[in-house]
Amino acid sequence: FAEDPLVGLSPPEAPPQYPLTQKVAQELKAIIFPVPEHLRADPAPAPAPAAPWWRGAAAAPETTNGPLTEARCAQLCALARSAAAPDARTGALTLLGDASSDLGRAPAASALALALQSALFADDARVREEALRTAAKCGLVEVARSVRGDDVNVRREAARLLAAGAFGDDDIFRNDHGSRRTFQKVAALASALRDKSIDEPGLVGQLEKALLKTGVRHERLLEAPLDRCLERHPSAAVRAAAATTAGALGCCECLRRLWLVQPAHDATLDDVVRVRVAAVDGLARNGSSTAIRELAAADDLEEVRRVAYAWLARLDDAEGLAERGLGDAVPSLRAAAAGLLADVLLRRAENDAPTWQWRADAFPRPPPPSLEDAPRRLDASSADGFEPAASALIQAAQHDAEENVRGAAVESLGRLRCVPGVAVGLEDASEASRLRAVELLEELSGDEAAAALERALDDPSTEVRRRATDALGLLRDPRDALSRVAVRDADPGVRERTAFLLGELKRPQALVETSLADPLYASVRAAAASSIGGLAAQAKEGDADAAAALDGLPLRQLLASRLGDADRSVRGAAAKALDVVEGGSWATIVRGDVNDVTRIHHAPGARATAVLVSLLCDAAEVDDRVAAAVALGGRNYDGAIPPLVVDALCACCAARGSLPASLRVAFFDALGALLVPA
């Protein structure tokens, strides 16, 4: 037998109680190194299956295809223990593993256990690895626990089998010792996790299952197998998995230590973040908002603190967000905390309950449910903790050094419908922030918001004042602030917009007193005339409010006086409005163009004469004044020349020093045509 490499038993190691025969050796050789099919002779018919060996003695089969008898199993165990050739030992272990389901309570099972223990200390790594695989098939987890040696591949194979759950819940002995096996598995898994050369995150999941199966609930007992792995294992994946398991098992102190442990000098930033985020998730799974709040304040990684603040929001910790989040050193995190704080208060106001309450009696700790979106906007003034949270947001909106943080705080106050807080944004140094505050106040509406918007009417930015004017118009200007804007704002665009808004609000009295008589900007007077015409049209169409607003106003006289306005656009707008009021055709005569004076000259009546006199004295264009002088000099007055015409021409001639020569000539020619001595 010594010449056959498959057997190769050395005399000192050969077990005398299991002598091998040449026939067994040849059968084993045929099984491990089968002859290729095309070289085989015609196969013999398959023998009838023999009864399992534990049901009685069976004769040795004549072929290699029969079941393993008790004697053959004993021989294979001896071969696995003592064969000199590694291939022989490996093949014997493979056959025994495949037949593990047939071993049961038998002397061969004990022999197999001894064979596996011996194989684990074989010189050849292949034998040790095959011994592990066979032990896994047989459910002998204590074999995995016995793995030692310098061969890292063997230890990794044991860890891989443990992580894959290859060691089942029962062994070949079918002993009713579930608790003992469970603790053996915990010990084997913990031993594998202490090996720094093994990177198998699946080990932690199997450890969690085993620990849960033990029925142990004491935190210190549960965290003992995890502690060293959590703090010292070089693999970030393993430490992160261990943190997740610690969270499920309620080992909060273990997670605190993990979060605070200093990373190795060669650890990457991604690895550190991964582990700490897993620790945050584990603490949150246990509802430990206080621990998260304290640890986040001491953490130096922005990514970790961001996750921590998000969990504080899910754990309904408004105080923690106000204290830690709004006080963070990173502006983007402060801005995010402002939004999260609003989410918490809005959910409180909507549900009158915290976002999520962890169950202390649940084991393992269930992960929190998916987070529902907070309402977009809601009056949260009645929510628990609203006052201190709103105060913290107002402080951030007033005093934070970063514009985006102040803007986020104002945005959150708007979501909470806190008008005083939003009004703080009107004092911001950034024009964009003030504009956003105006928009939010417009959305909030109400008299309180309108009162706050009046402060924006004095803003140094024209755009902010214009936007505030529009907002007050939409809010119906309950305090009549637009009437003051119409005459005091320095920007013609704001005044013009105010004139249109006063018309939309049906306030013609304010239009007449302010915009229609604007001394500086023709566009404002034109807008006022158009607004009055629009109101008159609404009154004619049956709008009772418009009719009531216009009642008692001398619209004909007011609009007629604007037919001679210094600006052509005002004259055109006034003519259209006058036609709406009295149903005339002045819009066909006064169109706001260069030929207005010519068309007025051909219009009969005292009104046309009065318009020409106004143009003579006030028209902004010299050509219009010259044309007015010519028209007045050649006009048919149907009787005596009106004193107004003569007085106007004489007054213009008296101011000859400040008038262009062409205009003075036109004045004298007009007086001459009227036969009035200069």
Side-chain angles (χ1 to χ4, degrees), residues 567-589:
D567 188 84
R568 292 173 180 173
S569 63
V570 179
R571 299 196 293 266
K576 293 178 181 178
L578 185 60
D579 284 353
V580 174
V581 171
E582 64 181 14
S585 58
W586 277 99
T588 61
I589 300 172

Side-chain angles (χ1 to χ4, degrees), residues 547-617:
L550 293 172
D551 186 38
L553 291 177
L555 296 182
R556 286 191 176 90
Q557 294 86 336
L558 293 170
L559 292 172
S561 67
R562 289 298 150 192
L563 291 175
D565 195 272
D567 188 84
R568 292 173 180 173
S569 63
V570 179
R571 299 196 293 266
K576 293 178 181 178
L578 185 60
D579 284 353
V580 174
V581 171
E582 64 181 14
S585 58
W586 277 99
T588 61
I589 300 172
V590 182
R591 303 175 186 174
D593 58 25
V594 69
N595 296 316
D596 277 351
V597 178
T598 302
R599 290 190 293 270
I600 295 171
H601 170 58
H602 294 95
R607 178 180 290 174
T609 301
V611 170
L612 288 172
V613 171
S614 296
L615 294 175
L616 176 72
C617 299

Side-chain angles (χ1 to χ4, degrees), residues 8 10 21-22 50 86 104 107 122 173 203 221 226 233 236 295 302 366 373 389 401 492 515 544 567 584 589 615:
S10 58
T21 64
Q22 182 69 31
F173 300 102
L203 289 170
L221 294 177
L226 292 169
H233 202 285
L295 293 172
E302 175 182 344
D373 292 335
S515 302
D567 188 84
I589 300 172
L615 294 175

Side-chain angles (χ1 to χ4, degrees), residues 219-525:
E219 181 178 342
R220 290 301 302 165
L221 294 177
L222 288 171
E223 70 182 23
L226 292 169
D227 250 350
R228 188 177 300 178
C229 161
L230 278 169
E231 298 182 14
R232 301 178 187 175
H233 202 285
S235 170
V238 172
R239 295 202 309 278
T244 302
T245 294
L249 300 179
C251 303
C252 294
E253 286 302 317
C254 187
L255 291 169
R256 288 173 63 95
R257 291 194 296 273
L258 171 65
W259 195 339
L260 295 175
V261 70
Q262 291 298 319
H265 67 279
D266 57 345
T268 66
L269 177 61
D270 290 341
D271 288 346
V272 178
V273 170
R274 180 179 182 182
V275 174
R276 291 188 184 177
V277 166
V280 176
D281 294 344
L283 288 169
R285 196 167 177 173
N286 289 271
S288 302
S289 60
T290 303
I292 294 176
R293 186 194 306 183
E294 295 173 357
L295 293 172
D299 200 285
D300 58 345
L301 297 179
E302 175 182 344
E303 297 85 349
V304 178
R305 297 201 303 277
R306 187 182 300 277
V307 175
Y309 297 147
W311 272 118
L312 288 178
R314 295 190 68 175
L315 294 175
D316 203 60
D317 190 359
E319 295 74 16
L321 284 170
E323 178 184 352
R324 303 299 186 189
L326 293 179
D328 197 277
V330 179
S332 62
L333 293 185
R334 296 199 299 275
L340 292 171
L341 184 55
D343 288 343
V344 172
L345 294 176
L346 288 169
R347 292 194 189 96
R348 286 184 183 180
E350 183 182 44
N351 303 321
D352 195 25
T355 305
W356 168 62
Q357 287 292 321
W358 70 288
R359 291 180 53 199
D361 59 338
F363 196 85
R365 305 286 190 248
S370 58
L371 188 66
E372 297 181 0
D373 292 335
R376 176 67 188 90
R377 180 174 285 115
L378 193 69
D379 184 2
S381 58
S382 60
D384 183 37
F386 174 81
E387 291 297 334
S391 177
L393 287 171
I394 291 174
Q395 288 294 319
Q398 285 179 320
H399 304 299
D400 198 279
E402 297 294 329
E403 177 184 343
N404 65 321
V405 179
R406 298 194 302 271
V410 171
E411 195 76 34
S412 294
L413 289 164
R415 293 179 61 197
L416 299 174
R417 301 195 67 85
C418 179
V419 173
V422 176
V424 169
L426 297 176
E427 309 298 330
D428 198 276
S430 167
E431 178 182 349
S433 297
R434 299 197 302 275
L435 279 172
R436 182 54 184 158
V438 169
E439 293 173 359
L440 289 172
L441 289 170
E442 177 188 315
E443 294 174 11
L444 294 176
S445 67
D447 291 350
E448 189 179 9
L453 281 170
E454 290 185 28
R455 292 160 50 188
L457 297 177
D458 296 322
D459 195 274
S461 168
T462 300
E463 186 61 31
V464 174
R465 297 197 307 275
R466 182 181 290 113
R467 191 69 186 85
T469 300
D470 288 339
L472 281 170
L474 289 173
L475 299 182
R476 309 301 299 173
D477 188 21
R479 294 159 55 92
D480 196 24
L482 293 179
S483 299
R484 298 188 294 275
V485 176
V487 293
R488 76 181 185 190
D489 198 278
D491 183 72
V494 176
R495 290 193 182 193
E496 182 179 348
R497 180 59 184 156
T498 302
F500 284 117
L501 289 173
L502 289 172
E504 293 175 2
L505 295 175
K506 297 181 175 61
R507 297 180 184 175
Q509 181 69 44
L511 277 171
V512 169
E513 294 174 354
T514 58
S515 302
L516 190 61
D518 192 293
L520 299 177
Y521 304 111
S523 61
V524 178
R525 299 194 297 273

Side-chain angles (χ1 to χ4, degrees), residues 96-109:
L96 289 169
D98 293 341
S100 61
S101 61
D102 292 338
L103 294 179
R105 295 177 183 270

